[in-house]
Amino acid sequence: MESSSITDIRRTGVMLVLSSPSGAGKSSIARSLLDNVQGFELSISVTTRQRRPSEIAGMHYHFKTIREFEILRESGELLEWAEVHGNFYGTLRKPVEEAIVAGRDMLFDIDWQGAAQLRKAMPEDVVSIFILPPTMNELLARLKRRAEDPEDVIATRLKNARFEIEQWRDYDYVVINEDLDQAFQSVNAIVEAERLRRQRRPGLEDFVARLLSETPE
Ligand code: 5GP
């Protein structure tokens, strides 16, 4: 529980969207943010992709069959969805809407198609950051280092990377991830600034009204 003081102003949550081609280090930055920045929670997507050995259902993804995914999509329970590398991925609507109204910040590790849909659905709330690798060689090295994916999956992801990188202009911010710690510091600076944005802080009305009603002695 964060301690509250007179200058804690009620605000709505930040919807922070991180996108990048696979292997640009987005997941590491996301993890640093969740571990080190107070008040962030991860939006856990639904996917039809096979679970990786290191992944835990309900923590990394909600793993679904294609039929289950279609039911969620058709009943309007997804805020956005996309097909990425041959699998379906989507964001559940309810947890996001609840978090934003309650002033809790949410992190989205989603692709450019999902980012575009979120931006359209909730333009006031979304802040988007595109993470770029320093070189294509480094991107391939990181994809291979992960070693959890088979060769053909790595090849597909590298092929898709060029197209994904071309979407960079649609994002509010771009961070080049040459050094993980520095990239995280940049993302953190963006978060700190966005939390202070006037439009996100309806509580400022009351604060300023009170301030102006004071008569200094
Ligand atoms: P991975 O299979 O490596 O976990 O994710 C593959 C890609 O799907 C990544 O670029 C990731 O950001 C994206 N992704 C994960 N969840 C979602 C989601 O809910 N919606 C969309 N549009 N993309 C997602």
Side-chain angles (χ1 to χ4, degrees):
M1 193 71 184
E2 286 177 53
S3 65
S4 68
S5 78
I6 194 163
T7 51
D8 280 342
I9 311 294
R10 183 171 59 83
R11 65 173 178 89
T12 55
V14 175
M15 288 173 70
L16 187 73
V17 174
L18 286 186
S19 298
S20 76
S22 305
K26 173 186 50 180
S27 302
S28 307
I29 294 174
R31 208 171 312 121
S32 291
L33 201 69
L34 293 168
D35 289 348
N36 298 301
V37 181
Q38 222 186 17
F40 254 99
E41 57 192 87
L42 180 67
S43 165
I44 300 168
S45 298
V46 290
T47 183
T48 60
R49 158 165 85 58
Q50 286 286 312
R51 187 177 64 80
R52 294 186 182 127
S54 64
E55 289 177 329
I56 299 167
M59 190 171 147
H60 295 93
Y61 281 107
H62 301 291
F63 295 95
K64 302 283 179 195
T65 63
I66 292 179
R67 186 69 202 123
E68 286 168 338
F69 189 93
E70 285 170 347
I71 290 170
L72 287 172
R73 191 178 60 192
E74 277 147 32
S75 58
E77 288 179 55
L78 301 181
L79 198 51
E80 63 78 30
W81 69 275
E83 187 177 347
V84 188
H85 312 311
N87 297 299
F88 291 117
Y89 296 83
T91 300
L92 290 169
R93 178 186 299 278
K94 200 161 162 249
V96 178
E97 290 181 344
E98 284 174 358
I100 299 315
V101 170
R104 301 195 316 268
D105 301 321
M106 259 201 157
L107 178 64
F108 298 81
D109 175 343
I110 63 178
D111 86 322
W112 63 274
Q113 306 171 82
Q117 292 172 60
L118 281 195
R119 219 177 274 127
K120 203 164 162 208
M122 300 165 91
E124 302 284 300
D125 305 297
V126 170
V127 175
S128 59
I129 307 179
F130 199 80
I131 313 286
L132 285 173
T135 64
M136 291 308 267
N137 266 342
E138 180 61 24
L139 186 75
L140 179 62
R142 288 184 194 163
L143 275 176
K144 286 186 168 165
R145 226 177 287 144
R146 183 150 72 196
E148 276 198 77
D149 290 323
E151 280 291 319
D152 59 326
V153 171
I154 293 177
T156 311
R157 286 178 178 235
L158 189 63
K159 193 161 74 67
N160 292 345
R162 286 183 185 279
F163 182 71
E164 288 166 16
I165 287 173
E166 282 168 10
Q167 315 305 318
W168 68 277
R169 287 188 190 82
D170 291 340
Y171 286 73
D172 299 318
Y173 299 93
V174 175
V175 171
I176 301 172
N177 179 18
E178 187 164 16
D179 172 83
L180 181 61
D181 196 47
Q182 253 177 31
F184 165 66
Q185 293 305 337
S186 299
V187 170
N188 196 20
I190 294 166
V191 167
E192 285 194 21
E194 288 289 343
R195 281 176 166 173
L196 293 174
R197 206 177 260 282
R198 174 168 52 79
Q199 292 88 331
R200 255 185 248 296
R201 306 165 80 199
L204 278 173
E205 291 289 343
D206 285 347
F207 176 79
V208 176
R210 203 171 50 234
L211 188 67
L212 292 176
S213 73
E214 289 172 12
T215 314
E217 282 150 25

